[in-house]
Amino acid sequence: ALNKALHDTFAIAQNSRSSWESTATIYQRFTQNADRLGLSQDRVAKITETVSKAVAISGASTEGANAAMMQFGQSLASGVLRGEEFKSVNEQTPAVLDAIAKGLGVARADLKAMADEGKLTTDVLIPALEKAGVSVDELFGRTDMTIGQSFTFLNNEILKFVGVAGDSSGAATLTASSIKLLGENIELVAILGRESPSF
């Protein structure tokens, strides 16, 4: 189960151009409710992916997206989305609330009142996000990767490589040297990228 969780969260993070750490936090929060709500590991992964893609659609900065995902994770831990957590998600990643509203079949403007009344509980949020999954996938498919997201993608790959290989193999030194080489040759890489988009 742990190996699957690591694999799933990494794949979700890369597919949604999100931080692996914040993706894993959301995944963990959903997992904490899995038994009570009868959620399989695959369903937890799918809901996590929907949230991560909605965050990406919002166009928030990397820092803003990570902050909002952490706040959303805290709301899942407490069992209800409201207060500062709702405010952070609303300001930084509005597409998450759009997805929730679509899944609930209510106007986006109604969510604030629902949050104030404590109605956006985990039991409500999870089915709503599942219903909105297809819509979020379609919207995400129309977006292009930003420079910030590309650095997040790279950082996730580095974390995976160094984490799996371990410092004893010299992975950290090799990675640092490779990043330095990339920085020193960024113009060449850009030229190659223009000439061969699949490079």
Side-chain angles (χ1 to χ4, degrees):
L2 177 60
N3 286 337
K4 179 171 172 52
L6 288 170
H7 176 273
D8 286 349
T9 53
F10 180 78
I12 291 166
Q14 296 303 72
N15 289 339
S16 61
R17 312 163 198 156
S18 305
S19 157
W20 191 5
E21 180 183 2
S22 57
T23 299
T25 297
I26 297 295
Y27 184 96
Q28 179 187 20
R29 300 307 188 200
F30 280 130
T31 299
Q32 290 172 344
N33 292 278
D35 289 340
R36 181 172 62 81
L37 297 173
L39 297 174
S40 66
Q41 215 170 354
D42 287 336
R43 285 180 67 192
V44 167
K46 182 58 184 170
I47 301 166
T48 302
E49 184 169 0
T50 296
V51 172
S52 298
K53 286 182 176 178
V55 169
I57 291 168
S58 296
S61 66
T62 302
E63 296 78 11
N66 289 344
M69 287 189 79
M70 290 300 177
Q71 291 275 31
F72 188 69
Q74 289 175 16
S75 72
L76 294 174
S78 68
V80 61
L81 176 61
R82 61 182 169 192
E84 287 302 312
E85 287 85 5
F86 181 90
K87 181 180 178 183
S88 177
V89 173
N90 184 44
E91 292 176 352
Q92 301 286 349
T93 54
V96 173
L97 295 186
D98 288 339
I100 293 169
K102 185 172 185 64
L104 291 175
V106 301
R108 163 75 182 283
D110 295 334
L111 292 182
K112 177 67 167 63
M114 294 179 70
D116 290 342
E117 295 168 10
K119 292 182 177 179
L120 296 181
T121 61
T122 309
D123 307 63
V124 171
L125 294 173
I126 289 176
L129 289 167
E130 286 187 309
K131 288 179 183 177
V134 173
S135 174
V136 171
D137 284 344
E138 291 175 354
L139 289 172
F140 181 80
R142 299 179 203 153
T143 64
D144 294 320
M145 181 181 285
T146 66
I147 291 176
Q149 290 171 345
S150 68
F151 277 112
T152 298
F153 186 96
L154 175 62
N155 189 57
N156 290 340
E157 290 287 353
I158 291 169
L159 284 174
K160 182 182 180 187
F161 177 71
V162 174
V164 171
D167 286 344
S168 61
S169 68
T173 301
L174 174 62
T175 302
S177 298
S178 299
I179 294 172
K180 181 175 181 287
L181 179 64
L182 174 62
E184 291 170 344
N185 295 279
I186 193 68
E187 287 188 34
L188 175 60
V189 173
I191 291 170
L192 290 172
R194 280 195 298 268
E195 293 178 352
S196 177
S198 62
F199 169 72

